[in-house]
Amino acid sequence: FSPWHLVLLPACLVLILPFVWLIVTSLETPSEALHFPPILTPHVLRPANYSDALKAAPFGRFFINSSVVAVVTVLTNLVLCALAGYAFARFKFLGRGVLFAVIMATLMVPFQVTMIPQFIITKWLGTNVLAAVGINHIGALILPNAATAFGIFFLRQFFRTLPIEYEESARVDGASRLTVLWRIVLPLSAPALATLAALTFLDSWNNFLWPLIAIDSTNQMTLPLGLATFQGAHSTEWTLLMAGNVMALAPMLVIFFAAQRYFVRSIATTGLTGS
């Protein structure tokens, strides 16, 4: 037992309370959900709220859309960020430092500044290039996030911690740069790749503002946007909303617990070397 437990235990209880409240409300009756002070021990459990939530909105369609957007976004980030991160970590080319600094500077620009240009570019692409990536298509939720500055920085820093001797030996044996990346660098980077995949999945799954701007069709809505349909101008179906949130939260918990063992391993070795 450590004295820190006296601090961590109350802090843990404070963090867990919202989740407990969420689950309890999802099993209450509407009258109990609106009761003040809140009732944390419902008199009658009502699991039918979950089936009612599925019937009140096309929850299955929201789930499929969110899954497609999140999975494709994760895959594109792993591919593109790995290629860019490896180039910045190992290649020496004119303007490398300036280009990397410009990419890092984009991390300091809030989304509220770029959402209008992003909307205009996405609309133009959908009109002139490919309709599937235009406004009111789930492709519009994937393309702007296909690669991120954070992902490039994260993998670049991790690649720099790997011994370069392995790569040089493979190059002497005639392996190409792509072969070195695929057969040597990426297998050694499993913790970083898993961490980036988990963080990207969680960010894409929870994204609300950009889908709110780019999507107005119910068939194209993702879960965060679809859950907002339970909130009306004059009333809110709190029990159904909480039930929907519990169902939306389940995949994120699975992803987090599956990848949590990689977090410490990757973060502990990322950023240890200089730029």
Side-chain angles (χ1 to χ4, degrees):
F1 181 81
S2 171
W4 280 107
H5 291 162
L6 298 176
V7 178
L8 296 177
L9 184 58
C12 182
L13 294 176
V14 171
L15 293 175
I16 292 177
L17 180 60
F19 295 99
V20 174
W21 195 351
L22 172 71
I23 296 174
V24 169
T25 305
S26 70
L27 295 170
E28 289 181 333
T29 62
S31 59
E32 287 181 326
L34 296 175
H35 188 274
F36 186 84
I39 299 175
L40 294 181
T41 54
H43 299 91
V44 178
L45 294 179
R46 195 174 186 276
N49 289 333
Y50 288 86
S51 59
D52 292 343
L54 293 174
K55 297 175 183 177
F59 202 88
R61 170 58 61 182
F62 299 156
F63 189 91
I64 292 174
N65 291 340
S66 287
S67 300
V68 171
V69 171
V71 170
V72 176
T73 301
V74 167
L75 294 177
T76 56
N77 268 269
L78 291 180
V79 173
L80 299 178
C81 292
L83 292 173
Y86 184 70
F88 280 115
R90 293 291 189 249
F91 293 175
K92 294 182 179 180
F93 53 88
L94 182 63
R96 181 182 69 168
V98 175
L99 180 58
F100 186 71
V102 171
I103 293 176
M104 291 299 97
T106 62
L107 291 173
M108 296 182 288
V109 181
F111 175 71
Q112 288 77 4
V113 175
T114 62
M115 62 183 181
I116 295 178
Q118 183 171 306
F119 179 88
I120 295 173
I121 293 172
T122 303
K123 183 178 181 180
W124 181 87
L125 289 173
T127 303
N128 299 282
V129 180
L130 184 63
V133 299
I135 297 301
N136 209 29
H137 291 81
I138 60 174
L141 308 181
I142 299 172
L143 186 62
N145 301 307
T148 61
F150 170 77
I152 295 173
F153 167 77
F154 186 75
L155 292 183
R156 180 252 191 188
Q157 293 299 99
F158 190 90
F159 292 157
R160 287 175 62 87
T161 66
L162 301 177
I164 198 172
E165 289 77 14
Y166 297 148
E167 301 173 43
E168 291 175 344
S169 298
R171 293 285 291 165
V172 170
D173 292 338
S176 65
R177 282 290 188 180
L178 284 178
T179 301
V180 170
L181 176 63
W182 178 255
R183 302 292 296 273
I184 298 176
V185 176
L186 293 184
L188 293 174
S189 305
L193 295 174
T195 300
L196 179 62
L199 294 177
T200 302
F201 184 92
L202 297 179
D203 180 69
S204 177
W205 191 268
N206 286 323
N207 194 6
F208 174 77
L209 183 55
W210 175 240
L212 179 65
I213 297 171
I215 301 296
D216 59 17
S217 171
T218 303
N219 290 331
Q220 303 293 322
M221 287 182 177
T222 55
L223 272 172
L225 196 57
L227 289 174
T229 60
F230 290 109
Q231 296 178 317
H234 303 289
S235 63
T236 299
E237 296 287 347
W238 289 110
T239 55
L240 303 187
L241 179 60
M242 295 302 107
N245 274 285
V246 171
M247 290 186 285
L249 184 64
M252 292 189 293
L253 292 177
V254 172
I255 294 295
F256 176 79
F257 286 115
Q260 66 172 341
R261 66 191 182 99
Y262 293 106
F263 289 165
V264 175
R265 290 172 56 189
S266 62
I267 295 175
T269 54
T270 300
L272 295 181
T273 62
S275 58

